[in-house]
């Protein structure tokens, strides 16, 4: 199936892909108008509902990707940004307090602000992050208006949290939220997977065998035979 996404007010200077015919030969299952698109975009949904997006430029690609990810996984990306910002308890109360204390304690909000400063200083990536957030927010608006289903997690949570409308729990994204997503990914891919511990071990290596017999040989062996060998220990 193919989803066709078009700008609310089409830019007369924008063009569709040079040869969209292969895409247009796929059965169309839906279409939306997204504010801010420079031209038409197409999302081909492959096996497993995985979208392959074809767009005019990087900003349109980000906007469509934000819309599609939010449509399928808004609760997930909401929790990802809340984790870095230390705001899980804002939604889940006491159940999220320890996560907020940990993330603030290890400086994830500081990492978020450093990413934000990089986005602000980069004329290319700042607008891309804004476009992605705008795509997420386009889904939020359509979910709140009833044009698309609200996330099932919020439908379940709303009564528990005293809300009649699950849309009340859906807070729009901005550039800082995108920086928070990057901070959480950094945590998952680096800090949480022993990189910090390895860095600490590396700092100890020069003095690890200080004063021991055959100090130079032990130090060289520790580096060459153990630390720098990246092959698995067993076949």
């Amino acid at each position: 199936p193919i989803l066709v996404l078009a700008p609310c007010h089409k830019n007369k200077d924008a063009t569709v892909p040079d040869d969209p015919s292969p895409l247009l030969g796929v059965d169309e299952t839906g279409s939306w108008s997204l504010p801010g698109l420079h031209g038409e975009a197409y999302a081909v949904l492959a096996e497993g509902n995985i979208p392959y997006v074809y767009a005019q430029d990087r900003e349109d690609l980000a906007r469509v990707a934000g819309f599609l990810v939010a449509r399928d996984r808004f609760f997930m990306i909401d929790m990802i940004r809340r984790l870095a910002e230390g705001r899980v308890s804002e939604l889940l109360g006491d159940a999220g307090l320890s996560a907020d204390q940990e993330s603030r304690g290890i400086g994830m909000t500081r990492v978020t602000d450093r990413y934000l400063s990089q986005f602000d200083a980069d004329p290319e990536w700042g607008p891309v992050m804004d476009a992605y957030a705008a795509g997420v927010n386009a889904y939020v608006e359509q979910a709140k208006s009833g044009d698309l289903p609200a996330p099932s997690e919020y439908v379940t949570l709303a009564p528990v949290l005293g809300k009649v409308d699950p849309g009340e729990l859906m807070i729009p994204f901005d550039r800082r939220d995108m920086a928070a997503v990057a901070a959480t990914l950094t945590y998952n891919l680096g800090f949480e997977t022993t990189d910090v511990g390895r860095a600490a071990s590396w700092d100890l290596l020069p003095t690890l065998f200080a004063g021991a017999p055959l100090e130079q040989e032990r130090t060289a062996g520790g580096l060459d035979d153990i630390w720098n060998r990246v092959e698995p220990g067993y076949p």
Side-chain angles (χ1 to χ4, degrees), residues 24-219:
L24 300 180
V26 182
D27 292 338
E28 181 180 327
T29 58
S31 63
W32 286 273
S33 294
L34 293 186
L37 278 179
H38 301 145
E40 288 185 341
Y42 304 88
V44 180
L45 303 182
E47 185 177 2
N49 207 38
I50 298 173
Y52 290 81
V53 180
Y54 301 83
Q56 297 290 331
D57 52 39
R58 184 171 290 180
E59 288 182 31
D60 276 9
L61 186 69
R63 192 177 302 267
V64 172
F67 175 79
L68 294 175
V69 170
R71 187 193 64 165
D72 293 337
R73 299 187 178 193
F74 182 82
F75 180 77
M76 182 188 78
I77 60 176
D78 186 19
M79 297 304 291
I80 286 174
R81 68 162 167 186
R82 287 179 182 275
L83 179 62
E85 294 171 349
R87 294 171 48 213
V88 176
S89 57
E90 192 179 82
L91 179 67
L92 301 181
D94 290 347
L97 184 58
S98 61
D100 287 345
Q101 291 172 328
E102 180 182 12
S103 64
R104 289 175 181 268
I106 63 177
M108 288 182 71
T109 54
R110 183 179 179 184
V111 175
T112 294
D113 288 334
R114 290 186 65 181
Y115 270 121
L116 179 61
S117 67
Q118 292 178 30
F119 293 160
D120 289 342
D122 193 314
E124 178 181 4
W125 279 103
V128 169
M129 295 298 107
D130 291 341
Y132 195 104
V136 172
N137 295 339
Y139 163 73
V140 171
E141 290 300 317
Q142 296 202 30
K144 288 185 175 183
S145 67
D147 294 328
L148 282 172
S152 58
E153 297 90 348
Y154 291 109
V155 174
T156 302
L157 274 174
V160 177
L161 300 178
K163 303 292 185 182
V164 175
D165 181 3
E168 295 181 58
L169 302 175
M170 301 175 65
I171 300 175
F173 272 59
D174 58 22
R175 187 182 289 191
R176 188 173 190 275
D177 293 321
M178 297 305 303
V181 170
T184 297
L185 293 176
T186 299
Y187 173 79
N188 288 339
L189 297 174
F191 183 93
E192 193 183 36
T193 50
T194 72
D195 280 12
V196 173
R198 286 180 62 81
S201 298
W202 170 259
D203 290 338
L204 291 174
L205 283 177
T207 59
L208 188 61
F209 300 105
L214 301 174
E215 177 181 339
Q216 291 184 336
E217 288 81 358
R218 287 173 184 265
T219 299

